[in-house]
Amino acid sequence: MTNIHNPQELLAFDHNLSISKSSSSAAIFMTIAGIAIIIIGTQINASEAVNYILGVTGFIIAIVGLGNLFSVKNTIIHTTSREPMSRTKLFFHRNDEHDIHHLLENGDIDTLIDRSIETGPIQVIIYSTTSKHYYIAQIFKFIPFEYLPISAPITFYKT
């Protein structure tokens, strides 16, 4: 059975989805800005405290920029609308399984979210566009040590 926890299976199931790598230009800019602040902090004639603050601030900005540069994030996007997909994880009581399936098929995500609990034996994973016009969801059941899919993924388009 398809498991949408696995991004490759999710992409294989729905050809309207693709992976987009995030741009690294902001990370490069942040790294260069941090290095520039360090250089400015060592070159200007100011008090030792100002030079120290500029040096530490520049160092922190450069480190964050380098961290972002080396941790490329993959985003799943809906290819038709070019919207990023956000992932939501909901939990329910065991006896809610039939109602959950019915709500998903009818696209009633708001009611589903209202009925969710903090943790439970039934888990629903929902990938939805930012406009909430498209989603793909799957129901999982807790079998000791992991959640396993108990339904095929369900897709819904709002018009």
Side-chain angles (χ1 to χ4, degrees):
M1 180 177 293
T2 300
N3 183 342
I4 66 172
H5 270 300
N6 181 339
Q8 301 309 330
E9 287 188 42
L10 176 63
L11 296 174
F13 176 78
D14 190 342
H15 299 290
N16 292 316
L17 304 177
S18 67
I19 289 184
S20 171
K21 294 186 187 293
S22 63
S23 173
S24 59
S25 58
I28 292 170
F29 174 76
M30 194 175 213
T31 304
I32 292 171
I35 293 169
I37 292 171
I38 293 170
I39 292 170
I40 291 170
T42 59
Q43 299 299 316
I44 63 171
N45 286 332
S47 70
E48 192 174 305
V50 170
N51 289 347
Y52 178 76
I53 290 171
L54 285 173
V56 169
T57 303
F59 180 74
I60 291 170
I61 291 172
I63 293 298
V64 170
L66 284 172
N68 288 341
L69 188 61
F70 290 113
S71 64
V72 177
K73 296 171 185 73
N74 293 330
T75 305
I76 297 175
I77 61 167
H78 188 256
T79 54
T80 307
S81 65
R82 303 298 300 164
E83 292 180 89
M85 303 287 286
S86 63
R87 180 177 175 215
T88 305
K89 189 184 295 188
L90 304 172
F91 295 95
F92 299 91
H93 297 288
R94 187 173 310 278
N95 56 354
D96 291 338
E97 186 178 330
H98 182 272
D99 294 339
I100 294 166
H101 202 288
H102 179 71
L103 290 169
L104 285 173
E105 287 180 340
N106 292 324
D108 197 355
I109 299 299
D110 295 330
T111 303
L112 199 64
I113 291 171
D114 291 341
R115 290 185 59 182
S116 66
I117 58 175
E118 193 169 320
T119 186
I122 301 292
Q123 178 186 67
V124 176
I125 302 293
I126 303 171
Y127 286 94
S128 62
T129 58
T130 52
S131 66
K132 306 290 187 213
H133 283 40
Y134 171 83
Y135 77 81
I136 183 167
Q138 190 169 22
I139 304 169
F140 295 81
K141 185 181 280 188
F142 185 76
I143 309 297
F145 308 112
E146 67 181 324
Y147 283 92
L148 296 175
I150 59 171
S151 75
I154 300 166
T155 56
F156 186 82
Y157 288 95
K158 282 187 181 178
T159 55

